[in-house]
Amino acid sequence: MARRGPAVAVAAATLALPPLLSGSHLTVYVLLGLAVMVTVGLSLLMGYAGQISLGQASFYAIGAYTAGLLSVHSLPPVLGLLAAPLVSAGFAVVVGVPLLRLRGHHLAFATLAMQLILLSLVARADWAGGAIGLQGIPRLSVGGYEFADDLSYAYLVWAALALTLLVARNIVASRPGRGLHALASSETAAAACGVPVGRYRLTVFALSAAFAGLAGGIYAFYLGYLAPGSFPVLLSIEYVVMAVVGGLGTLWGALVGATVIILLVQLLNTLGTQPGMPGYAPSVLSYAVYAILLVLVVMFLPHGIVPAVRDRSTRRTSS
């Protein structure tokens, strides 16, 4: 029970927080929760299965467009939300069969190319709104209740994130989770121990895509508008930086990394939009913070913030 204390405290604090936030801060809360959902999946993929993806935002986009397209064609919005993770996971299975034959930076570049191709196709697809974007996405409604304001979306994101973390935690603690640990350490040794390497790699790839797809579905209903420009390659890089900064191979790392990056970017955006600052200042500062944080973490905290704090706490306890 004592080990669950911090998790219960964080859950209670984040549950009580939304009514205390103003409109702009609620938006940050919602977007932060969505980012954590995507980063949890990426942390599973990179930290537990040892695979690198630079195209995670493509699954986020697929989930968003799935939910948006179904809802603008008069289907119930809740059906669109349920379909979002399923379609993203299905797409991951289809592309994952050939892509996961690659290793290391080859796989990273392949996933990056996947996102570029997807964005190019969506920008040319009139049925998806093309480069102008998909407009008129209704608010999410479930059983007659409409998620009409930011506060309701904040709690929807909280519930979706709790579900994501619960699923991820149970997988990590299960026998397949131990197989994934072995896979991340040595693929050859894991295969020799009977771990079905190919099946596990594809399953985690699809699961990480499903988490991103669910986040994308909520994003679509929250904003009511989608465009290819909403899912740039930089967004995928941002998720990687969040996972690395927080610490790969730990679910807490996804939460901490996403929180640090999102809050820093918000702070820099505020600074960059001050009177007298050039118009390109916010984007330049965002790029700078990703680069600087990534370099600093790799140099001084090579395993990320959460593993570093945990190791220090363990040393203090044992001394």
Side-chain angles (χ1 to χ4, degrees), residues 57-84:
S58 58
F59 302 119
Y60 190 52
I62 290 171
Y65 270 96
T66 298
L69 284 168
L70 290 179
S71 60
V72 298
H73 287 89
S74 304
L75 288 172
V78 67
L79 183 61
L81 183 61
L82 293 175

Side-chain angles (χ1 to χ4, degrees), residues 11 13-34 37 139-140 145 147-162 218-219 221-222:
T14 51
L15 190 62
L17 191 58
L20 306 176
L21 299 176
S22 63
S24 60
H25 291 155
L26 265 180
T27 300
V28 174
Y29 182 97
V30 171
L31 297 180
L32 171 59
L34 297 178
M37 290 172 64
R139 288 284 190 172
L140 178 65
Y145 174 78
F147 291 79
D149 53 20
D150 287 1
L151 185 61
S152 60
Y153 276 91
Y155 283 119
L156 174 65
V157 168
W158 188 94
L161 177 57
I218 297 174
Y219 176 82
F221 292 117
Y222 180 60

Side-chain angles (χ1 to χ4, degrees), residues 172-200:
V172 169
S174 67
R175 182 176 179 181
R178 293 191 289 275
L180 288 174
H181 273 297
L183 179 58
S185 303
S186 170
E187 195 173 304
T188 304
C193 293
V195 175
V197 173
R199 182 151 56 89
Y200 275 23

Side-chain angles (χ1 to χ4, degrees), residues 69-167:
L69 284 168
L70 290 179
S71 60
V72 298
H73 287 89
S74 304
L75 288 172
V78 67
L79 183 61
L81 183 61
L82 293 175
L86 298 178
V87 173
S88 294
F91 180 79
V93 170
V94 171
V95 300
V97 171
L99 285 187
L100 293 179
R101 296 177 183 274
L102 303 173
R103 300 289 187 273
H105 64 277
H106 293 100
L107 176 60
F109 289 139
T111 53
L112 178 63
M114 174 188 72
Q115 182 173 349
L116 292 172
I117 293 170
L118 180 71
L119 292 178
S120 177
L121 292 175
V122 171
R124 288 167 173 74
D126 293 336
W127 51 268
I132 297 175
L134 185 64
Q135 305 176 42
I137 301 172
R139 288 284 190 172
L140 178 65
S141 58
V142 180
Y145 174 78
E146 181 177 278
F147 291 79
D149 53 20
D150 287 1
L151 185 61
S152 60
Y153 276 91
Y155 283 119
L156 174 65
V157 168
W158 188 94
L161 177 57
L163 176 64
T164 301
L165 289 169
L166 184 63
V167 170

